[in-house]
Amino acid sequence: MMTNEKLKPCPLCGGEAEQDDWRNNEHMFYGTGWIGCRKCRCFINYTGKDRGKEEAIAAWNRRANDEQTDS
Protein backbone atom coordinates (compact mmCIF):
# COMPACT_ATOMS: atom_id res chain seq x y z
CA MET A 1 0.00 0.00 0.00
CA MET A 2 1.45 3.35 -1.00
CA THR A 3 -0.29 5.95 1.14
CA ASN A 4 0.48 8.04 4.21
CA GLU A 5 -3.00 7.59 5.66
CA LYS A 6 -4.02 4.18 6.95
CA LEU A 7 -6.98 2.66 5.13
CA LYS A 8 -9.83 1.26 7.20
CA PRO A 9 -11.03 -2.29 6.49
CA CYS A 10 -13.65 -2.77 3.79
CA PRO A 11 -17.01 -1.25 4.80
CA LEU A 12 -18.84 -4.21 3.21
CA CYS A 13 -16.98 -7.31 4.38
CA GLY A 14 -14.25 -6.09 6.75
CA GLY A 15 -11.47 -7.35 4.46
CA GLU A 16 -8.04 -5.73 4.15
CA ALA A 17 -7.93 -2.64 1.93
CA GLU A 18 -5.20 -1.80 -0.54
CA GLN A 19 -4.42 1.19 -2.76
CA ASP A 20 -2.64 1.43 -6.10
CA ASP A 21 -1.62 4.37 -8.29
CA TRP A 22 -1.43 4.11 -12.05
CA ARG A 23 1.51 6.24 -13.08
CA ASN A 24 3.53 6.89 -16.19
CA ASN A 25 0.72 5.77 -18.45
CA GLU A 26 0.43 7.84 -21.63
CA HIS A 27 -3.39 7.45 -21.52
CA MET A 28 -3.74 8.71 -17.94
CA PHE A 29 -3.38 12.49 -17.90
CA TYR A 30 -4.21 12.90 -14.21
CA GLY A 31 -3.06 11.01 -11.12
CA THR A 32 -5.29 7.95 -11.21
CA GLY A 33 -5.65 4.78 -9.21
CA TRP A 34 -7.95 2.83 -6.95
CA ILE A 35 -8.61 1.81 -3.37
CA GLY A 36 -10.24 -1.54 -2.80
CA CYS A 37 -10.80 -4.68 -0.79
CA ARG A 38 -8.63 -7.76 -1.32
CA LYS A 39 -11.46 -10.05 -0.20
CA CYS A 40 -14.70 -8.91 -1.88
CA ARG A 41 -13.10 -6.67 -4.55
CA CYS A 42 -15.24 -3.62 -3.72
CA PHE A 43 -13.32 -0.55 -4.92
CA ILE A 44 -13.22 3.22 -5.52
CA ASN A 45 -11.43 4.72 -8.52
CA TYR A 46 -9.86 8.15 -8.37
CA THR A 47 -8.49 10.62 -10.87
CA GLY A 48 -6.79 13.92 -10.24
CA LYS A 49 -9.44 15.55 -12.42
CA ASP A 50 -12.62 14.41 -10.64
CA ARG A 51 -11.60 13.03 -7.26
CA GLY A 52 -8.00 12.95 -6.10
CA LYS A 53 -6.31 10.30 -4.01
CA GLU A 54 -6.80 12.14 -0.72
CA GLU A 55 -10.55 12.53 -1.35
CA ALA A 56 -10.82 8.85 -2.30
CA ILE A 57 -9.02 7.80 0.91
CA ALA A 58 -11.38 10.00 2.95
CA ALA A 59 -14.39 8.50 1.13
CA TRP A 60 -13.15 4.93 1.69
CA ASN A 61 -12.55 5.61 5.39
CA ARG A 62 -15.88 7.40 5.96
CA ARG A 63 -18.54 5.34 7.74
CA ALA A 64 -22.28 5.96 8.14
CA ASN A 65 -21.93 6.38 11.92
CA ASP A 66 -19.16 9.01 11.63
CA GLU A 67 -20.01 12.49 12.88
CA GLN A 68 -21.28 14.74 10.11
CA THR A 69 -18.90 17.67 9.53
CA ASP A 70 -20.79 19.25 6.60
CA SER A 71 -22.52 22.54 7.31
Side-chain angles (χ1 to χ4, degrees):
M1 185 173 11
M2 302 170 72
T3 182
N4 292 334
E5 186 172 342
K6 183 175 165 107
L7 296 171
K8 291 182 179 181
C10 177
L12 298 178
C13 75
E16 182 181 354
E18 62 183 329
Q19 180 265 324
D20 190 24
D21 292 321
W22 295 315
R23 295 187 197 140
N24 301 321
N25 184 328
E26 64 187 69
H27 303 292
M28 301 295 177
F29 300 105
Y30 306 98
T32 63
W34 55 268
I35 298 170
C37 176
R38 291 176 176 233
K39 185 176 178 183
C40 75
R41 310 311 282 171
C42 169
F43 67 94
I44 294 175
N45 287 329
Y46 59 85
T47 68
K49 180 180 178 184
D50 299 319
R51 172 176 41 204
K53 181 163 89 173
E54 298 305 317
E55 290 87 359
I57 291 170
W60 179 269
N61 286 339
R62 189 171 35 249
R63 299 296 186 261
N65 60 353
D66 287 348
E67 286 187 32
Q68 296 294 323
T69 58
D70 298 335
S71 304

